[in-house]
Amino acid sequence: MTRPGGTWQNWARTERVRPTTVEYPSTIEAVRRSVRSAAARGRPIKAVGTGHSFTGIAVVPGTLLEMTELSGLVSVDRDRQRARLLAGTRLHRIPALLAPYGLAMANLGDIDRQSISGAISTGTHGTGSRFGGIATQVVAATLVTADGELLTVSHDENAELLPAVALGLGALGILVDVTIQCVPAFVLEAVERPEPLDSVVDDVVSRADAVDHFEFYWFPHTDTALTKTNTRLPAGSPTKPLSAALRLVDDVLVGNVVHQSVCSAGRAAPGLVPGINRLSAKVWGDRTLSDASHRVFATSRGVRFREMEYAVPLDRLASAFRGVQRVIDEHGWRIEFPIEVRTAAADDLWLSTASGRPSGYLAVHRYWKTDHTEYFAAVEEVMLAHEGRPHWGKLHTLDASALRARYPRFDDFTALCDRLDPDRAFRNPYLDRVLGE
């Protein structure tokens, strides 16, 4: 299906484009036709998911492929606990697809609105020192290359390419299906509570290593960390989910409606922010619940924001956090959004932010109507001093010359781009910047 190009914009309203055409392929063959057609017309072509990237990684002025209709479960290998999914499948729909087989995704981030292909292509991750990002769950993938042909990559076929294709930034081709390694369905018990910030930061690595999943939030101008500890339990374990009423109060009213008001008030009167943050730190958290894993991993985000996130070596996470504290204090900024701290295991994916090293993640946010530029620039300087690598789907200023030194397999990846896409059919300004023209 083809429609005239309207204006496309991402969720954060940081990127917009008016593509020449927008196409809605519902089959793999339709994607192949689209790629060949774009090549014949000399147009760049990109696939887009839900627009949850803050960068221009999916922006294209030529042919934009909306993958919404290329969605669903293709097959399940019960013996090996693997599920093959079409590329446009939304993360929040996958649990219901896997449930009849008693399976679940091993780990998820705290937002599940993305497509599976978008999530892996940008390096989306959750938290847990023994768990990698979503792309580490990929055991096979099929993509349409620049000539319209299919390339299958798995442990059995073109295996040497899997560490590149599993997290490919959309630069190698159009992903049309992805096979993920699942795990038996499980329950998560979540303990959320406020704790003294200094002790949490000082012990963040040991805290993360001691449990399945650990993270914390810090509202600037407070001395409190809001910690979240998730423990994995077998399927069938007794659960104590939040009641509908409590979920409405905690996640919808406090987490979204009240926070929206806080952000608006902080933008109009920055001097109110420290007091509001101290109140928020008292109101949020301090609860225990248990439920099916996907219901605990993901949360609802109704307040629009901009975000930058960097990965640093795990042993430098506490120092990086202290550095961000200092720049906020030194500049006298009034930051209305909490800072999020998470961890992940090392992996072998070429462009993963955790490639070759256990990693700590530090994410900073600003309300979308507030200028984030100066704050993000100062935080980025701290992250770079701590050997940081930026999340590919979140705001940063690095280019290929800066990124090459941070990824040992960077040149291998760009060489693969040259091989699979010599005419740069899948490139755009963002990819030209981060990979080099």
Side-chain angles (χ1 to χ4, degrees):
M1 184 188 303
T2 304
R3 299 176 187 172
T7 298
W8 177 91
Q9 59 184 354
N10 64 348
W11 179 84
R13 305 299 188 260
T14 53
E15 298 287 341
R16 64 177 59 207
V17 68
R18 189 177 181 85
T20 304
T21 59
V22 179
E23 300 184 4
Y24 295 78
S26 57
T27 65
I28 292 174
E29 188 57 37
V31 175
R32 299 180 67 187
R33 289 196 299 269
S34 294
V35 170
R36 288 170 174 158
S37 175
R41 291 169 169 78
R43 292 178 185 166
I45 182 169
K46 299 290 292 178
V48 66
T50 59
H52 265 277
S53 289
F54 299 83
T55 64
I57 193 167
V59 170
V60 62
T63 300
L64 184 149
L65 297 184
E66 253 282 6
M67 304 292 277
T68 309
E69 297 181 20
L70 194 69
S71 176
L73 182 66
V74 178
S75 61
V76 172
D77 183 333
R78 290 175 179 266
D79 293 335
R80 294 196 290 179
Q81 299 180 344
R82 294 177 176 180
R84 186 178 181 185
L85 299 153
L86 292 172
T89 308
R90 304 298 192 246
L91 292 179
H92 69 274
R93 299 189 183 281
I94 295 176
L97 297 175
L98 297 180
Y101 305 95
L103 299 175
M105 293 185 69
N107 199 7
L108 285 168
D110 58 4
I111 297 176
D112 62 1
R113 301 293 104 175
Q114 308 97 318
S115 66
I116 182 65
S117 56
I120 66 171
S121 295
T122 56
T124 297
H125 62 92
T127 192
S129 293
R130 294 186 294 276
F131 298 89
I134 294 177
T136 65
Q137 300 172 40
V138 175
V139 293
T142 306
L143 68 164
V144 178
T145 56
D147 56 5
E149 297 301 314
L150 294 179
L151 174 65
T152 299
V153 177
S154 70
H155 292 301
D156 303 318
E157 191 174 357
N158 299 306
E160 73 282 3
L161 303 184
L162 188 58
V165 171
L167 203 168
L169 310 185
L172 302 174
I174 306 294
L175 282 169
V176 289
D177 68 46
V178 175
T179 301
I180 56 173
Q181 181 65 58
C182 301
V183 297
F186 60 101
V187 167
L188 277 180
E189 179 185 62
V191 178
E192 304 175 6
R193 63 182 183 181
E195 299 185 53
L197 177 67
D198 287 340
S199 63
V200 173
V201 175
D202 290 343
D203 297 333
V204 63
V205 174
S206 59
R207 290 283 298 270
D209 285 346
V211 298
D212 292 323
H213 307 276
F214 178 78
E215 64 184 297
F216 75 87
Y217 291 84
W218 173 60
F219 279 94
H221 323 298
T222 75
D223 57 4
T224 301
L226 303 178
T227 64
K228 300 177 68 174
T229 302
N230 291 342
T231 301
R232 300 163 81 97
L233 302 173
S237 298
T239 60
K240 294 181 180 179
L242 289 180
S243 66
L246 190 55
R247 187 177 294 276
L248 174 66
V249 172
D250 282 7
D251 294 342
V252 179
L253 293 181
V254 175
N256 289 312
V257 177
V258 173
H259 194 209
Q260 174 70 60
S261 301
V262 167
C263 291
S264 298
R267 179 169 177 260
L272 297 176
V273 168
I276 292 173
N277 281 5
R278 286 190 288 271
L279 178 61
S280 296
K282 291 180 180 179
V283 173
W284 280 11
D286 206 4
R287 64 185 186 180
T288 299
L289 64 131
S290 56
D291 208 339
S293 57
H294 63 278
R295 296 195 186 103
V296 176
F297 278 134
T299 57
S300 173
R301 298 288 187 91
V303 180
R304 203 178 304 276
F305 57 87
R306 275 78 187 268
E307 181 176 0
M308 180 172 71
E309 183 178 53
Y310 265 80
V312 299
L314 187 59
D315 60 4
R316 304 195 67 175
L317 179 58
S319 175
F321 180 85
R322 297 296 191 197
V324 173
Q325 283 185 298
R326 283 194 298 273
V327 298
I328 292 174
D329 290 342
E330 289 169 359
H331 288 84
W333 290 319
R334 298 293 182 257
I335 305 301
E336 75 290 343
F337 244 93
I339 291 171
E340 183 179 18
V341 178
R342 296 180 285 176
T343 64
D347 63 52
D348 62 356
L349 305 184
W350 294 1
L351 292 187
S352 167
T353 49
S355 183
R357 67 190 197 192
S359 297
Y361 291 87
L362 197 152
V364 296
H365 315 71
R366 291 231 72 173
Y367 182 49
W368 75 291
K369 292 184 178 180
T370 301
D371 185 7
H372 64 272
T373 310
E374 190 177 3
Y375 174 43
F376 282 15
V379 171
E380 185 169 57
E381 187 174 344
V382 173
M383 295 298 104
L384 295 179
H386 287 81
E387 302 179 35
R389 295 168 175 167
H391 189 299
W392 298 105
K394 299 177 184 179
L395 298 173
H396 68 93
T397 66
L398 271 57
D399 61 14
S401 62
L403 290 162
R404 176 172 284 105
R406 296 172 187 272
Y407 289 92
R409 302 298 299 269
F410 188 91
D411 287 333
D412 293 326
F413 186 86
T414 56
L416 185 58
C417 290
D418 292 339
R419 172 183 153 193
L420 297 182
D421 184 19
D423 297 324
R424 300 295 191 259
F426 305 118
R427 284 297 186 92
N428 60 15
Y430 176 79
L431 290 178
D432 285 343
R433 188 188 102 206
V434 300
L435 296 176
E437 299 184 23

